[in-house]
Amino acid sequence: MKIETTAIKSTENHLKNLRPVSAPLYLSTTFHRNEDGTYNEGFLYTRHNNPNRQILEQSIATLENGKVAYAFSSGMAAISAIFQSLKAGDHVILPDDVYFNIYLLCKEVLRRWDLQYTLVDMTDLEAVELAFFDNTALVWIETPSNPQLKITDIQAIADLAHAKNALVAVDNTWPSPVLQQPLDLGADIVMHSTTKYFGGHSDVLGGCVVLKEQNELAERLSRIQVLSGAVPSPFDCWLVTRGIQTLPLRVKTQSQNAMQLAQFLEQHLQIERVLYPGLESHPQYEIAKQQMKGFGGMLAVLVKGDAKRAIEITHQLKLFTVATSLGGVESLIEHRKSVEGEESLTPDNLLRLSIGLENVEDLIADWEQALKGC
Ligand code: PLP
């Protein structure tokens, strides 16, 4: 063999039976085809499937008590796949404070494909019931919502939607399956931005769709995943899978920290209001207590004053990084309205906090000094 050939053949995988404890990274985009035309374990080409993706999908399906899961390259790719599974002309009901980019996706992209949508306050069941049309195919729930932390009664909406032959999808990114399992509460579809709590370290983008049943919708989503091709790389899958191993511990600590900080801020004279579903003052506290196992690491703070004052506070804080995103080990803060832009319904004085794994006493002391300093 000449050196060019040796360079190829000598680096082939010869270590097939080592049984490693941690899953190896399968970067290979393609897999050997057997003489009889089959593929070992069914792996053909990485856009179709890949061992790292399979491990991730099976893990998320199990965590959500679902039957199947499909992983995507971002949360938005997962969301787009769900909408692509609908027919042109279908109508969807969206929460009025749905994650802003979902609204923009519907308005700027999917309208051209004749997707109809109505924005509704999901905490008002009568308003939701009035929003159904004959062509309503899907109700989208986000609970707690982003950024106002409204809580939607998943079971009640699922009952309403199923009576009208519509499906229910829940964006479960914020609570994660550690705190909320929507399929057990009647939802048909669960969606995640795995960029957030699953990944947990602010270093990987990803998304996932989980279904309660291996049905015709599952087949459609599987085809959209493979044919649209917005799949995560093997390394992305490996990173998210690694994140899952510490997900329950992280989320529990982040929830405890968020609760203590929320209680502190609620009493502070310079704070107008704290939106956190674990506080008894939260309008849907009773529903949150019923459908969640904890209240999560996200909270919103309405400071006394205007947008300028709110932004000033973010820069006085020393332990909170001013950045978008959430769910990582580090605490982040963001003035939401300036990120969402002109059409945003978010109050001017609202700051969104993603609480990390720092010691909560340090986080509280940081807020104390920041509010004194302004
Ligand atoms: N859903 C929620 C609730 C989010 O907060 C986000 C991102 O912030 C997304 C979906 C979109 O996820 P990604 O940024 O991974 O596309």
Side-chain angles (χ1 to χ4, degrees):
M1 260 191 289
K2 302 282 188 295
I3 189 152
E4 292 82 357
T5 314
T6 309
I8 307 295
K9 296 309 283 180
S10 65
T11 52
E12 271 186 353
N13 176 20
H14 299 295
L15 308 173
K16 291 179 181 137
N17 298 313
L18 285 185
R19 303 184 66 210
V21 171
S22 171
L25 186 53
Y26 288 90
L27 291 175
S28 187
T29 52
T30 191
F31 297 83
H32 285 265
R33 189 173 188 180
N34 298 319
E35 265 182 53
D36 62 2
T38 61
Y39 293 89
N40 286 1
E41 317 260 344
F43 293 110
L44 180 162
Y45 182 63
T46 280
R47 177 162 43 75
H48 290 233
N49 203 357
N50 169 281
N52 295 107
R53 192 162 99 212
Q54 191 177 78
I55 293 168
L56 175 65
E57 290 176 339
Q58 286 176 352
S59 167
I60 298 182
T62 308
L63 289 166
E64 284 289 4
N65 289 332
K67 277 276 180 336
V68 277
Y70 301 101
F72 292 87
S73 53
S74 69
M76 288 309 295
I79 292 161
S80 299
I82 296 171
F83 286 125
Q84 277 175 44
S85 74
L86 302 175
K87 292 194 306 299
D90 275 350
H91 171 254
V92 299
I93 299 176
L94 299 172
D96 56 2
D97 67 337
V98 66
Y99 169 57
F100 209 63
N101 285 319
I102 299 180
Y103 165 67
L104 294 181
L105 172 75
C106 291
K107 186 178 140 205
E108 292 178 19
V109 182
L110 297 172
R111 251 209 195 145
R112 291 164 58 85
W113 296 73
D114 203 19
L115 181 92
Q116 322 275 314
Y117 61 87
T118 307
L119 297 164
V120 181
D121 177 359
M122 288 280 171
T123 63
D124 180 349
L125 289 180
E126 274 176 38
V128 178
E129 192 160 13
L130 286 173
F132 280 89
F133 293 105
D134 288 347
N135 59 340
T136 303
L138 181 72
V139 183
W140 190 268
I141 295 177
E142 199 182 293
T143 179
S145 69
N146 179 2
Q148 302 211 37
L149 289 114
K150 290 190 198 170
I151 298 294
T152 298
D153 186 335
I154 298 172
Q155 184 77 62
I157 300 279
D159 291 346
L160 258 181
H162 292 157
K164 308 215 182 245
N165 288 323
L167 295 175
V168 172
V170 178
D171 183 338
N172 209 31
T173 300
W174 280 28
S176 90
V178 178
L179 303 180
Q180 180 170 277
Q181 289 163 306
L183 299 181
D184 292 348
L185 297 167
D188 307 283
I189 305 169
V190 162
M191 171 263 142
H192 280 282
S193 163
T194 55
T195 313
K196 316 298 179 189
Y197 287 98
F198 275 92
H201 296 76
S202 308
D203 53 11
V204 57
L205 280 178
C208 198
V209 180
V210 189
L211 296 186
K212 197 172 188 163
E213 307 290 345
Q214 171 94 58
N215 52 15
E216 194 258 327
L217 173 62
E219 185 51 34
R220 242 181 296 149
L221 279 165
S222 159
R223 297 303 288 157
I224 291 168
Q225 181 195 39
V226 168
L227 299 175
S228 294
V231 291
S233 75
F235 187 46
D236 291 348
C237 295
W238 188 92
L239 280 173
V240 177
T241 304
R242 180 175 160 132
I244 287 176
Q245 294 171 337
T246 54
L247 176 73
L249 292 178
R250 283 186 283 107
V251 168
K252 277 178 203 156
T253 302
Q254 285 160 323
S255 293
Q256 285 162 9
N257 285 356
M259 183 67 154
Q260 283 190 51
L261 184 63
Q263 285 167 338
F264 165 78
L265 290 172
E266 193 176 39
Q267 303 303 323
H268 202 286
L269 289 176
Q270 292 194 48
I271 299 298
E272 183 183 295
R273 199 162 166 214
V274 177
L275 303 174
Y276 184 67
L279 294 175
E280 282 181 36
S281 58
H282 189 284
Q284 294 95 36
Y285 171 68
E286 290 302 327
I287 301 170
K289 224 169 47 168
Q290 243 172 39
Q291 73 184 14
M292 299 179 79
K293 299 188 187 90
F295 303 103
M298 298 299 298
L299 58 124
V301 177
L302 281 76
V303 304
K304 283 193 181 149
D306 55 9
K308 185 168 164 282
R309 163 107 177 105
I311 293 168
E312 240 167 50
I313 292 172
T314 66
H315 294 290
Q316 291 289 330
L317 287 161
K318 297 194 167 42
L319 298 180
F320 284 75
T321 304
V322 181
T324 207
S325 202
L326 57 113
V329 296
E330 64 289 307
S331 290
L332 301 182
I333 188 160
E334 178 168 68
H335 180 250
R336 247 345 249 178
K337 188 151 188 166
S338 31
V339 174
E340 293 177 350
E342 287 293 292
E343 280 189 73
S344 166
L345 298 176
T346 300
D348 282 352
N349 59 342
L350 182 145
L351 295 174
R352 190 186 79 178
L353 281 63
S354 169
I355 305 303
L357 296 178
E358 303 88 348
N359 187 296
V360 69
E361 288 172 20
D362 290 333
L363 297 179
I364 291 173
D366 195 25
W367 269 90
E368 243 169 351
Q369 68 75 27
L371 291 172
K372 254 189 221 143
C374 290

